[in-house]
Amino acid sequence: MAEAAKACAKDLPESALVPSEHLKFVNRFEVTRGDACISCGLCASLCPYGVHKRIEGHAKILPPDDRKCIGPSCEVNYFFCVANCPTGSLSVRESETFASMGDPRWTPEMILATWAQAETGRPLSLDHPGNLGASGGGFDKLSFKLPEPVGKVDPADICTAIDLNRRGSGTKIRIPIPIYGGGMSFGSVSVYTMLARAKAARMWGTFTCTGEGGYPEALVPYKDHVITQIATGLFGVREETIQRTRIVEFKYAQGAKPGLGGHLLHDKNTPDVARMREAVPYTSLFSPFPFHSVYSVEDHKKHLDWALSINPRALMAVKVSTPNDVEMVSVGSYYAGAHIVHLDGGYGGTGAAPEIAKKNIAMPIEYAIPKVHRFLAKEGIREQVVLLASGGLRTAMDVAKAIALGADGAVVGTADLVALGCVRCGNCESGRGCPRGIATTDPELEKLTDADWGAGRISNLYNAWRLQWCELLHRLGMSDISQLRGRTDLLRHADKPAKEVGK
Amino acid sequence: MFERFHVPIKVIANRAGPVPKFVIVRADNCVNCGKCEKACIYGVHVRSELDSRKMADPINNLCKNCFRCIHDCPQWSLSMAPGAEYKALGKGVWSPLRISTIWGEAETGKIPVFGAGYRGIFAGSGYDGMWTDMSEIVRPTRDGIHGREYISTSADVGRKPPVLEFDGSGKMRTEMPPLVELPVPMVMDVTRLRAMTEATIQGYAQAAKRLDMLLFAATGSLPASASAELTSHFVPVYPSGTDVARIELPQGARMAELSFAPSWKDDAKAFRARFPETVLSFRFDAGKGVEQRVLDLVRAKIDVAHILYDEEGMELDRGELRHSKESLRAVHKAMVSKSVRDQITVIAGGGIAAAEHVPKSIICGADLVALEKALLIALECRDCITCELASCPVNLSSASAEWVEGRISNLVGAWRDQLLEVLGAMGLREVRRLRGELGRAIFYEEVERDAFSDIEGGVGDG
């Protein structure tokens, strides 16, 4: 076992520092200096973190640089500036800028923690607040029952790889981490963002996905790590885009807008995007729903066969959302010949979706995974299907919980974007798109994201995640992530207080 | 010529100032370099018109929380805080987000569409603990957002006879009860609203006429100037204790509503005798035994049961109060088990605070929902704790009837379109089929138990 694990943990990319000066704008704490300050400079000489700075010759001390402050808990230190200030003009409190960020699903802690992982590649501790959202349900109420750590984990001893084809025949593809990148179309995000994701996917030997907006030429050098998506809009789907890929993904529905088809609002349909989609620039593009050629499992099989006849080596992935009968849909997909069944839960990301659909249509992924996992097992086909989960998986721990609930692995999207500096302001749908240059096709804004820089950050994030999975598996006495699948006995739900901690 | 139902929408500007969600603070150390002006793509930061050497105060309501100005500022002099006034809006299900969403819908008439995934809490009480189903493939009747005109949202108000009887010559013997057909499963009810002026009632009535809806209001509240045309979309609501023998229905009224009283059977008889062609509705507070009361109304051949909940959607009358989600399901089930479901129309009012509450109420068993507080919020109401027209922060008393009409049309248009989204995703072609479709809904308690019962500490874990 250990030998096998060592083999699968070989040749993974190292993390390197990929900082962003931009993303250092916010801290949890805010230091204010009142008018009573006499610029004596005592605080500057005391603070070891460099919050206060006084330049010789200047009449006034500089405003505090509170990004470096460690917060009110500093009061135990002899150098605590607030207590030492002779005029009592300093105060430290929770930052309001920090509180203005994020939302219950992506808390400000989680965004900052993801940025830190993307910058350094260093893992969070498993119980770090950035690993748990505040939405009060689903993953945010589940935690692992962790025994006390015994010794230190050597990541080289732990295998986090998964197979993407568990049927007896066809191409074998194995990815060293149990995640690949979800579809984000050209149009919803910039080509630089797509490139950053594709480069990171190549570094890690995993995949990213074109989304439904066609296959930009810039991605062709990364074709072994790019999934071609065939969605209901069929934008830019051609023989050559299917032939060049190793995995074809049929997108039936998307968790954030199940049953509605893709949305690209008019402003974002720039001439470049329109050319790729063979559409009229600056018109809103609403994809149909569903595939009008698919009204049954038999039709579905025909669909997959059609793609297979164009590219017989490719694996077939089927992306569906989570209705009541999601387990039947999954079984149908298996019998139609899918290698990968990809469930996209209702709380997943999107470039544009009606608010009513995001919250209210179809169930969250946390419910769909065990439902499908058990049903496939009962049907006796669980070992032939690769079940991937997505839709609101934000952290390494979310992925681990999804696996413990019964998935083989996960598909991530929003976390990649947060690594690139997304603050989840939610304004990607219209106008010039993302003001931060991620989910935009505005020729000026898209230049804010450099593909190599972004690839480094996403790669760092994956590294940090892998190290957390290694730590988790080690704590649980496992050496391979596939051992974690379906182990709901290792989870605890926060609805009722923990019993006596057993084994 | 047959005309498809269509809600005409047009931007109807806000009258009062916006309530910014975020407030940007510029500290004293700003050097007026203007980098924030370049950074912001929404126009929050501009130079002062009076003195172009200086930056003007940030225009907070344009801020979309992207933080670009904050990290582009070389002086670190900008910071952001959640807007205090925004955070203080409303309470309970009337959250700041819901209130500002209604403002936006009433202004533009459009479906709110935004980027990024769902941002709220996982699930909650009432309608927050419920998801609607969708169907993955086998629904040949729809096409994403295309082909929506083929989905019917019309609803009937009235009673339907269980069977039709014919005499020997083939002539129908059954007397068909009066029926009002509406193009949307929504009515307006202003009887429980605060802060009504003549102009707002007139505006609501005009909107009801324009959209072919019904406006429920206290008898006589429609201004004398209102034309006879408006009265056919007006449902007078009589308080309990009204002497039915003395009722004068407004000319053209198709429906009237009595408040439930112990004498309701006699009231109904007297009303029927005088106005056989008018749809008769009884309104009453939901509470313990609401199921039985609706069954009683069915037996007495009353056309409509108008069930009232409070602003939060909770039952009003004694006992352990249920949310309308549970209460309506109980009512619906009681009628289905007696095979009388179509013999009465159920209108549910109260707690309808967002577009999603319309399909959810209907799934739970209502035929139609009554919009109440949402009608006031659409007029930019701030939902103050004490409500005085004289000190209204949005000066509601100066709102014109035309403005009110436009805002309400936009709100109904946006909500109908969102109802179509849900119906489209479910693969339903008619909102009538949505009623009581509990199998096409996902309830928090049930899925939580199904998914997590084997997890320590989860629901059902002993």
Side-chain angles (χ1 to χ4, degrees):
Chain A
M1 199 70 203
E3 295 314 304
K6 277 207 165 64
C8 87
K10 223 173 56 181
D11 298 334
L12 294 177
E14 302 273 318
S15 51
L17 214 56
V18 189
S20 163
E21 277 311 310
H22 268 164
L23 299 180
K24 299 218 170 95
F25 67 91
V26 63
N27 188 7
R28 293 166 189 76
F29 311 106
E30 196 169 284
V31 183
T32 39
R33 190 195 302 283
D35 292 339
C37 171
I38 50 168
S39 296
C40 68
L42 180 61
C43 50
S45 59
L46 283 171
C47 179
Y49 306 106
V51 174
H52 304 285
K53 200 166 173 193
R54 182 167 184 269
I55 297 175
E56 260 333 296
H58 282 203
K60 271 188 155 184
I61 190 164
L62 291 180
D65 184 355
D66 41 24
R67 296 165 293 156
K68 294 171 178 157
C69 178
I70 63 161
S73 64
C74 185
E75 66 180 0
V76 297
N77 298 317
Y78 74 90
F79 50 74
F80 186 45
C81 61
V82 176
N84 282 300
C85 177
T87 57
S89 54
L90 288 172
S91 61
V92 178
R93 59 191 167 124
E94 300 266 317
S95 157
E96 296 217 298
T97 306
F98 180 70
S100 312
M101 267 175 96
D103 50 73
R105 290 201 64 80
W106 273 90
T107 59
E109 282 286 357
M110 194 182 274
I111 295 175
L112 253 56
T114 306
W115 287 348
Q117 293 173 83
E119 177 169 336
T120 63
R122 280 200 290 270
L124 300 180
S125 63
L126 300 187
D127 55 356
H128 188 278
N131 260 333
L132 200 70
S135 75
F139 292 132
D140 294 345
K141 275 213 169 173
L142 294 173
S143 57
F144 281 99
K145 295 187 253 184
L146 286 176
E148 285 306 307
V150 185
K152 257 191 104 158
V153 57
D154 179 1
D157 290 339
I158 307 276
C159 180
T160 52
I162 57 166
D163 286 314
L164 293 181
N165 177 6
R166 285 148 58 91
R167 287 175 179 263
S169 57
T171 317
K172 289 272 172 232
I173 299 180
R174 194 167 163 81
I175 50 176
I177 39 174
I179 52 170
Y180 65 62
M184 284 185 219
S185 68
F186 175 57
S188 78
V189 297
S190 74
V191 77
Y192 300 110
T193 303
M194 295 181 90
L195 267 176
R197 299 182 77 212
K199 287 179 184 210
R202 184 163 73 177
M203 287 156 89
W204 277 89
T206 181
F207 290 85
T208 184
C209 176
T210 61
E212 81 165 320
Y215 202 128
E217 281 300 309
L219 289 186
V220 175
Y222 306 92
K223 63 184 167 52
D224 283 346
H225 301 280
V226 175
I227 298 171
T228 297
Q229 187 180 81
I230 301 177
T232 52
L234 297 175
F235 296 118
V237 174
R238 301 157 185 279
E239 249 178 35
E240 62 264 28
T241 62
I242 294 175
Q243 277 165 351
R244 69 167 73 110
T245 189
R246 293 161 75 201
I247 302 179
V248 175
E249 174 175 292
F250 278 90
K251 183 189 116 179
Y252 279 85
Q254 182 185 343
K257 40 180 185 275
L260 297 177
H263 285 41
L264 185 74
L265 302 192
H266 56 98
D267 306 311
K268 282 184 82 178
N269 185 12
T270 56
D272 282 346
V273 175
R275 204 170 310 119
M276 182 67 65
R277 298 193 180 211
E278 298 175 60
V280 180
Y282 301 110
T283 52
S284 292
L285 299 178
F286 296 107
S287 301
F289 187 90
F291 282 112
H292 285 297
S293 42
V294 179
Y295 289 119
S296 65
V297 173
E298 291 73 23
D299 289 347
H300 180 31
K301 178 162 170 35
K302 222 157 48 185
H303 230 198
L304 296 185
D305 287 350
W306 158 63
L308 268 175
S309 70
I310 299 173
N311 182 354
R313 291 172 304 112
L315 299 188
M316 296 292 135
V318 174
K319 176 176 177 181
V320 295
S321 61
T322 50
N324 249 337
D325 56 354
V326 57
E327 72 274 38
M328 298 305 294
V329 173
S330 307
V331 171
S333 296
Y334 166 76
Y335 283 111
H339 300 94
I340 299 168
V341 174
H342 168 186
L343 308 176
D344 194 19
Y347 293 167
T350 175
E355 290 295 308
I356 190 168
K358 290 182 199 171
K359 176 179 188 293
N360 302 295
I361 308 181
M363 64 176 90
I365 191 66
E366 291 91 329
Y367 298 139
I369 301 168
K371 197 174 161 101
V372 173
H373 172 66
R374 287 180 213 148
F375 197 80
L376 292 177
K378 227 185 281 173
E379 288 281 301
I381 54 175
R382 181 66 189 90
E383 298 312 319
Q384 282 80 56
V385 178
V386 177
L387 183 64
L388 299 184
S390 70
L393 278 71
R394 306 149 294 181
T395 64
M397 283 302 105
D398 283 357
V399 173
K401 288 170 197 171
I403 294 174
L405 286 173
D408 288 287
V411 179
V412 294
T414 306
D416 284 0
L417 300 192
V418 174
L420 298 181
C422 167
V423 288
R424 262 178 71 83
C425 66
N427 300 304
C428 14
E429 83 289 352
S430 59
R432 294 169 67 191
C434 174
R436 308 176 69 86
I438 302 163
T440 179
T441 42
D442 183 273
E444 196 180 312
L445 289 172
E446 66 180 10
K447 297 209 171 64
L448 291 172
T449 303
D450 176 77
D452 287 315
W453 170 86
R457 287 185 66 94
I458 295 173
S459 167
N460 276 350
L461 181 70
Y462 290 175
N463 195 45
W465 282 18
R466 182 178 130 79
L467 294 176
Q468 288 172 74
W469 296 320
C470 291
E471 165 82 17
L472 176 76
L473 293 173
H474 173 72
R475 294 270 292 268
L476 295 170
M478 299 174 181
S479 63
D480 192 314
I481 200 149
S482 62
Q483 293 168 303
L484 184 62
R485 195 191 74 194
R487 291 293 301 275
T488 49
D489 57 312
L490 298 174
L491 291 171
R492 180 183 291 122
H493 195 282
D495 261 2
K496 288 181 194 159
K499 292 177 191 167
E500 289 296 297
V501 181
K503 44 189 171 153
Chain B
M1 204 187 82
F2 175 71
E3 246 184 86
R4 289 212 166 92
F5 181 67
H6 174 72
V7 179
I9 57 164
K10 194 175 98 188
V11 173
I12 305 288
N14 294 327
R15 294 164 64 246
V19 179
K21 283 185 188 172
F22 300 97
V23 175
I24 296 180
V25 184
R26 193 192 299 281
D28 293 344
N29 62 332
C30 167
V31 292
N32 297 299
C33 68
K35 281 213 170 145
C36 46
E37 190 179 7
K38 284 207 188 90
C40 182
I41 66 170
Y42 305 113
V44 173
H45 299 281
V46 286
R47 289 202 168 266
S48 166
E49 276 181 20
L50 299 172
D51 179 357
S52 61
R53 290 170 303 178
K54 291 203 164 139
M55 295 303 297
D57 286 338
I59 309 167
N60 286 320
N61 59 295
L62 298 178
C63 174
K64 294 198 178 183
N65 191 224
C66 77
F67 296 91
R68 242 193 94 175
C69 60
I70 292 176
H71 63 59
D72 278 6
C73 174
Q75 287 292 98
W76 299 101
S77 63
L78 295 172
S79 61
M80 196 186 294
E85 201 186 342
Y86 175 81
K87 272 205 316 197
L89 284 173
K91 59 177 186 297
V93 300
W94 300 88
S95 62
L97 180 65
R98 290 220 171 97
I99 289 179
S100 64
T101 301
I102 292 178
W103 291 346
E105 288 165 332
E107 185 185 354
T108 64
K110 291 191 175 146
I111 301 177
V113 173
F114 292 103
Y118 174 59
R119 309 159 72 85
I121 53 161
F122 184 82
S125 58
Y127 290 126
D128 284 340
M130 178 177 172
W131 296 270
T132 67
D133 197 13
M134 59 82 67
S135 83
E136 206 67 63
I137 34 180
V138 279
R139 289 287 187 272
T141 53
R142 64 197 165 127
D143 195 355
I145 80 149
H146 312 283
R148 293 269 165 91
E149 60 272 27
Y150 298 110
I151 300 177
S152 159
T153 55
S154 72
D156 300 328
V157 185
R159 149 176 80 93
K160 290 175 184 166
V163 288
L164 298 181
E165 288 175 51
F166 299 88
D167 62 15
S169 63
K171 243 181 87 185
M172 190 159 81
R173 258 207 315 239
T174 315
E175 263 186 54
M176 290 305 284
L179 196 71
V180 177
E181 193 183 334
L182 301 180
V184 280
M186 293 180 252
V187 296
M188 303 180 208
D189 179 2
V190 298
T191 48
R192 296 195 286 173
L193 293 189
R194 315 182 281 185
M196 284 294 101
T197 66
E198 281 211 348
T200 50
I201 298 234
Q202 170 94 17
Y204 289 137
Q206 283 169 212
K209 176 174 182 307
R210 176 157 148 198
L211 307 173
D212 198 9
M213 291 170 76
L214 294 173
L215 170 68
F216 290 62
T219 170
S221 61
L222 201 60
S225 60
S227 65
E229 269 180 90
L230 292 185
T231 53
S232 65
H233 296 280
F234 179 72
V235 178
V237 177
Y238 297 92
S240 60
T242 304
D243 183 358
V244 178
R246 288 163 174 270
I247 284 178
E248 286 304 326
L249 281 186
Q251 208 180 357
R254 295 177 286 172
M255 179 170 169
E257 186 161 275
L258 304 177
S259 301
F260 194 88
S263 63
W264 69 276
K265 278 189 181 161
D266 299 328
D267 292 346
K269 235 176 248 162
F271 186 91
R272 273 280 141 68
R274 291 192 60 203
F275 310 106
E277 291 304 315
T278 306
V279 175
L280 171 61
S281 168
F282 271 103
R283 67 156 54 205
F284 52 91
D285 291 350
K288 199 160 177 270
V290 58
E291 302 92 319
Q292 190 51 47
R293 179 165 298 171
V294 175
L295 288 178
D296 291 343
L297 292 175
V298 171
R299 207 167 307 125
K301 296 198 171 167
I302 305 301
D303 304 299
V304 178
H306 185 166
I307 309 178
L308 302 176
Y309 298 91
D310 72 7
E311 280 183 4
E312 297 287 310
M314 298 298 289
E315 290 184 335
L316 285 154
D317 204 13
R318 68 215 148 84
E320 259 183 47
L321 302 179
R322 296 173 291 184
H323 187 266
S324 51
K325 181 178 79 169
E326 279 81 35
S327 176
L328 284 171
R329 274 151 85 192
V331 169
H332 179 75
K333 270 189 187 155
M335 285 194 285
V336 168
S337 67
K338 293 264 189 290
S339 308
V340 296
R341 181 61 190 89
D342 276 330
Q343 293 173 42
I344 198 162
T345 296
V346 172
I347 301 177
I352 307 293
E356 76 236 31
H357 295 164
V358 178
K360 286 182 175 178
S361 306
I362 294 174
I363 286 176
C364 289
D367 291 279
L368 299 97
V369 296
L371 309 186
E372 299 186 30
K373 192 165 158 180
L375 298 174
L376 207 52
I377 303 288
L379 310 183
E380 284 181 283
C381 166
R382 300 272 166 94
D383 196 20
C384 311
I385 294 168
T386 51
C387 179
E388 288 278 351
L389 267 180
S391 61
C392 176
V394 296
N395 199 6
L396 208 54
S397 48
S398 70
S400 72
E402 280 61 40
W403 186 79
V404 173
E405 179 190 341
R407 298 283 291 196
I408 299 302
S409 302
N410 281 349
L411 179 74
V412 172
W415 282 23
R416 177 181 183 261
D417 282 350
Q418 290 175 78
L419 176 63
L420 289 177
E421 296 274 358
V422 173
L423 290 170
M426 292 177 82
L428 290 177
R429 261 199 300 185
E430 265 196 298
V431 77
R432 290 185 181 105
R433 299 215 183 156
L434 189 66
R435 187 200 65 197
E437 264 286 41
L438 295 169
R440 299 299 307 280
I442 298 159
F443 291 95
Y444 171 71
E445 298 79 9
E446 291 168 20
V447 274
E448 183 84 6
R449 196 176 48 236
D450 288 350
F452 297 151
S453 56
D454 62 340
I455 293 177
E456 184 185 310
V459 182
D461 170 54

